Amino acid sequence: MAPRVCSNALEAVSLIGNDEFIWTHSMGATPRVLLEALAQHAMTRQNLTLLQLHTEEAEALSVPELKGHLRHRCFFGGAPTRALLASGEADYVPVFLSEVPKLFRSGEQPIDTALVQVSPPDSHGNCSLGISVEASRAACDVAGRIIAHINPQMPRTHGDSFVPYDRFAAVYEQSSPLPEHPMAGADAISQAIGKHVASLVEDGDCLQMGIGAIPDAVLGQLADRRNLGIHTELFSDGILALYRSGAINNSRKKVHPGKLVTGFALGSRALYDFVDDNPEVLFLDIEQVNDTSVIRRNPQVMAINSALQVDISGQVCADSIGTRIYSGVGGQMDFIRGAGLSPGGRSVIALPSTAANGAVSRIAPVLSPGAGVVTTRAHVHYIATEYGCANLWGRSIRERARALIDIAHPDFRESLCRETFELWGLSI
């Protein structure tokens, strides 16, 4: 059956009734036009639940007037939802990113309506989820209805991104710019961390990393490497520059050799133009991209991730600042475990040595109360700051403490030694 073609976004979302679970397309494909209309429509409805990963430009749904009408249920927090999560006005669900699609496909988390932003239909009648397949692929598979913003500026990407036009219940077409994240500036601390992490990267490694100043700094120092591969949940401009340098050719991969594999892309318009109709880039269901059994099949997986705090035993907090939810579990453990099981694989957690303008050490004797342990001390390999890399794999607690204090900020090393003795009984 052909979808209802709507003259405005409000008409499209008017199909949503009371008590519905609504999934929103996430990351750079966040359907801002539909969500702004939903903010208006939700005022006429009760008990709506908006399911989401990280969203871009979705602040319209965070206003206090929506209390009682719409509540956020977040598998990953972001700027539009952090204040709501901190006040208890939104819900955080800790879950591995690889398992979000399983929640949907199992029926554990029902989805009544999925809101997506897609490319115009091609000659075969298929629209593309474009720069963000992630868990939206699974949401589209199980949703009772799909409402689509058709955006001529959305790239048509290859892989698991295609949704038949006649699968939509309603469509609204409008040309709208996609959110862009230019490469981060090269500050001195990020450059120093990037240099230390880059020293761990070998020819033939298969890379996974995120977005931001530290990943960009790492990638910027790998132009002399050869036969690198990419199998990552997130594809950004730093990878694009390295690909064009010839360092990346994906030739050593066992899973999709010759292809750059990702779950979503976030970056500049140049990045979006690169992935548009590019068969060398596969946007796959995040259940496959982040599946540990898939990741481990590639040799020399090098997983590079970040953290908010690390304790001297190697426990990694990456989703909260104490009890205050900042982001989410995401795919960090998916890739750290996959890398650990990969032949020649390894992983690194990279972070600045301090926070709060140097007032707080991110390396702590114990994690802050309520801090979320995303990566356990049994899984961690390397920790890197601007002061060096600490290899924790196979090391005792005492050896870990010594190695981590050595890469802490010098202003905190004495107090860390003292507190490690007081709390752990360890003389460093």
Side-chain angles (χ1 to χ4, degrees):
M1 181 182 297
R4 177 195 295 184
V5 178
C6 301
S7 59
N8 56 66
L10 184 59
E11 180 186 354
V13 302
S14 68
L15 297 177
I16 296 171
N18 294 330
D19 306 311
E20 289 201 17
F21 289 100
I22 305 162
W23 170 259
T24 176
H25 206 171
S26 300
M27 318 303 178
T30 302
R32 176 183 55 82
V33 171
L34 295 180
L35 295 183
E36 289 176 353
L38 177 62
Q40 182 178 349
H41 175 67
M43 296 301 295
T44 70
R45 296 292 185 264
Q46 299 296 320
N47 196 33
L48 301 180
T49 302
L50 187 68
L51 311 167
Q52 63 204 271
L53 292 166
H54 170 81
T55 54
E56 294 278 325
E57 302 178 352
E59 284 77 7
L61 285 165
S62 299
V63 296
E65 290 80 8
L66 285 171
K67 185 176 181 179
H69 299 279
L70 181 143
R71 187 174 178 90
H72 296 262
R73 188 172 180 85
C74 306
F75 302 107
F76 201 94
T81 54
R82 283 186 190 123
L84 294 173
L85 289 165
S87 65
E89 297 298 329
D91 297 310
Y92 169 56
V93 181
V95 63
F96 296 131
L97 183 55
S98 61
E99 294 189 341
V100 176
K102 294 179 182 179
L103 286 176
F104 302 162
R105 292 187 170 116
S106 69
E108 181 72 23
Q109 174 59 69
I111 298 176
D112 299 295
T113 298
L115 302 179
V116 296
Q117 182 177 190
V118 298
S119 70
D122 60 22
S123 59
H124 304 289
N126 292 314
C127 297
S128 171
L129 293 169
I131 60 172
S132 197
V133 167
E134 21 87 12
S136 291
R137 167 75 273 158
C140 287
D141 289 344
V142 304
R145 73 171 71 89
I146 308 173
I147 298 172
H149 167 203
I150 295 178
N151 186 355
Q153 297 192 45
M154 176 64 76
R156 176 182 179 272
T157 59
H158 291 246
D160 294 331
S161 71
F162 295 111
V163 182
Y165 178 77
D166 59 11
R167 176 73 173 85
F168 301 136
V171 298
Y172 168 64
E173 182 166 349
Q174 176 183 318
S175 182
S176 181
L178 299 174
E180 296 185 27
H181 282 250
M183 288 184 66
D187 63 278
I189 291 176
S190 296
Q191 285 291 350
I193 297 170
K195 183 177 180 180
H196 293 308
V197 173
S199 70
L200 302 174
V201 178
E202 302 172 359
D203 289 349
D205 278 354
C206 183
L207 304 179
Q208 173 265 328
M209 58 181 55
I211 191 172
I214 293 174
D216 286 344
V218 176
L219 291 165
Q221 300 187 56
L222 299 180
D224 63 342
R225 305 303 197 277
R226 292 295 174 262
N227 302 314
L228 297 177
I230 299 295
H231 183 110
T232 185
E233 65 188 37
L234 168 59
F235 176 35
S236 65
D237 282 84
I239 292 175
L240 176 58
L242 197 59
Y243 177 87
R244 286 175 168 164
S245 77
I248 295 171
N249 60 19
N250 297 295
S251 62
R252 302 283 180 86
K253 293 170 59 181
K254 301 298 183 184
V255 181
H256 302 295
K259 305 289 187 181
L260 192 157
V261 172
T262 189
F264 52 95
L266 192 60
S268 68
R269 188 67 230 184
L271 177 70
Y272 303 154
D273 290 342
F274 175 78
V275 303
D276 186 27
D277 203 24
N278 187 344
E280 293 188 20
V281 185
L282 296 182
F283 284 76
L284 302 183
D285 187 324
I286 210 69
E287 185 173 348
Q288 293 298 310
V289 175
N290 284 40
D291 187 331
T292 298
S293 68
V294 173
I295 296 166
R296 69 180 297 182
R297 288 169 54 197
N298 283 318
Q300 293 181 227
V301 173
M302 178 59 171
I304 302 168
N305 289 276
S306 61
L308 296 168
Q309 188 182 40
V310 177
D311 77 10
I312 60 93
S313 75
Q315 293 187 114
V316 176
C317 171
D319 67 346
S320 69
I321 301 172
T323 58
R324 190 181 181 95
I325 301 302
Y326 184 80
S327 54
V329 172
Q332 182 173 120
M333 265 302 303
D334 295 331
F335 275 94
I336 284 181
R337 188 57 179 153
L341 296 171
S342 160
R346 56 224 178 278
S347 63
V348 58
I349 298 290
L351 72 166
S353 64
T354 64
N357 295 317
V360 177
S361 175
R362 289 181 185 264
I363 294 174
V366 293
L367 296 180
S368 300
V373 178
V374 170
T375 295
T376 77
R377 55 194 175 204
H379 288 100
V380 72
H381 282 195
Y382 292 93
I383 304 290
T385 72
E386 67 270 32
Y387 294 101
C389 284
N391 182 1
L392 306 189
W393 192 52
R395 304 302 195 269
S396 70
I397 299 295
R398 182 177 60 82
E399 291 165 338
R400 288 163 178 245
R402 177 70 272 167
L404 287 169
I405 291 171
D406 283 346
I407 64 167
H409 193 284
D411 290 350
F412 294 95
R413 291 176 189 173
E414 183 178 346
S415 62
L416 284 170
C417 287
R418 182 176 63 254
E419 291 168 5
T420 296
F421 177 76
E422 293 171 352
L423 294 168
W424 292 83
L426 298 174
S427 297
I428 304 300

